Amino acid sequence: MNNRPIGIFDSGVGGLTVLKEVAELLPAENILYLGDTARVPYGVRSPETVIRYSFECAEFLLRQNIKLLVVACNTVSAISLHKIREAVSIPVIGVIEPGAAAAVNATKNKRIGIIGTEATIKSSSYVKAIKALDKDVEVSGLPCPLFVPLVEEGWTEGTIARLIAERYLKDIMDREVDTIVLGCTHYPLLKGVIQGVMNDVRLVDSAIETAKAVKNALSEKRMNREAGAASERKFYVTDSTEKFVSVGERFLQQKIKDIEKIEL
Ligand code: DGL
């Protein structure tokens, strides 16, 4: 059981920010990653479509005999995490609950901003998760759809990124939040720009918080692989492998070697 891999999926390449943190925290674990690159982005789609796509991703990874499933995509976590949890028998970790808990711990003035895709913000999942922990916290959600193509293009610093960030974040600055949750897989790559625009705000990186939640879940269930064991990473995509490798290596800051194109 303990030697079985962890499965991580996302709508595309963005979930590699989560894989990176999980791999850093749990170096002995074998990891399978699925990016549904043929159908990205999910963040602009209806809940019905996101649910259907996410079940196909989860089912594929379950067929690979994983021991724990990580839903790295904020949009999927916001819309269908509870449905996936109900449907499968292994532990399922999403990105919303860990990010929400870290934000509640971080805020001093009880005003938190959430930035994410349109679907994530519309679902109010972060708002519900935060309110469940502390009902007095005021939560402001803001969709920042241009951040995803910006990051995929590699424009994570410089004038264009700064201007777009300033334009988006103005609304949230007016609400005097002291903490912002980076509620989308791509946004950790814009940390520098976002922090530059909002100097005094604490940024919560859902990827780091999710990796901690994965570690806790494995320890709790005594499912860790033996420390020091050599580990493997395998990548699956639903569209061309070349594009995923070139963008993905930037996300991961590592070489992507074992990769296969599959049909869902
Ligand atoms: N992975 C998505 C998320 O975290 C961003 C890209 C998309 O819209 O599919 O919400």
Side-chain angles (χ1 to χ4, degrees), residues 74 78 96 99-101 103-104 111-117 120-131 137-144 147 168-169 172 175 177 179-184 187 204 206:
N74 282 260
I96 308 265
V104 169
R111 287 176 188 216
I112 297 174
I114 310 293
I115 53 176
T117 64
T120 297
I121 300 304
K122 211 165 161 196
S123 74
S124 299
S125 292
Y126 271 108
V127 181
K128 285 176 211 149
I130 289 171
K131 293 273 188 194
V137 174
E138 223 175 86
V139 192
S140 307
L142 180 77
C144 303
F147 280 173
Y168 275 139
L169 298 173
I172 223 158
R175 289 179 227 163
V177 301
T179 304
I180 288 190
V181 180
L182 304 172
C184 173
Y187 299 1
V204 173
S206 296

Side-chain angles (χ1 to χ4, degrees), residues 4 10 17 21 24 74 118 154 172 180 184 201 236 238 243 252:
R4 287 159 63 190
D10 178 48
T17 51
E21 300 302 335
E24 240 165 69
N74 282 260
E118 287 178 38
I172 223 158
I180 288 190
C184 173
V201 153
Y236 298 97
T238 52
K243 173 88 175 154
L252 211 50

Side-chain angles (χ1 to χ4, degrees), residues 40-65:
V40 68
Y42 284 9
V44 294
R45 303 195 193 278
S46 67
E48 296 70 37
T49 303
V50 172
I51 291 168
R52 181 159 56 85
Y53 287 179
S54 62
F55 266 81
E56 289 171 5
C57 291
E59 280 159 10
F60 172 81
L61 286 172
L62 288 166
R63 287 198 296 275
Q64 315 310 310
N65 209 15

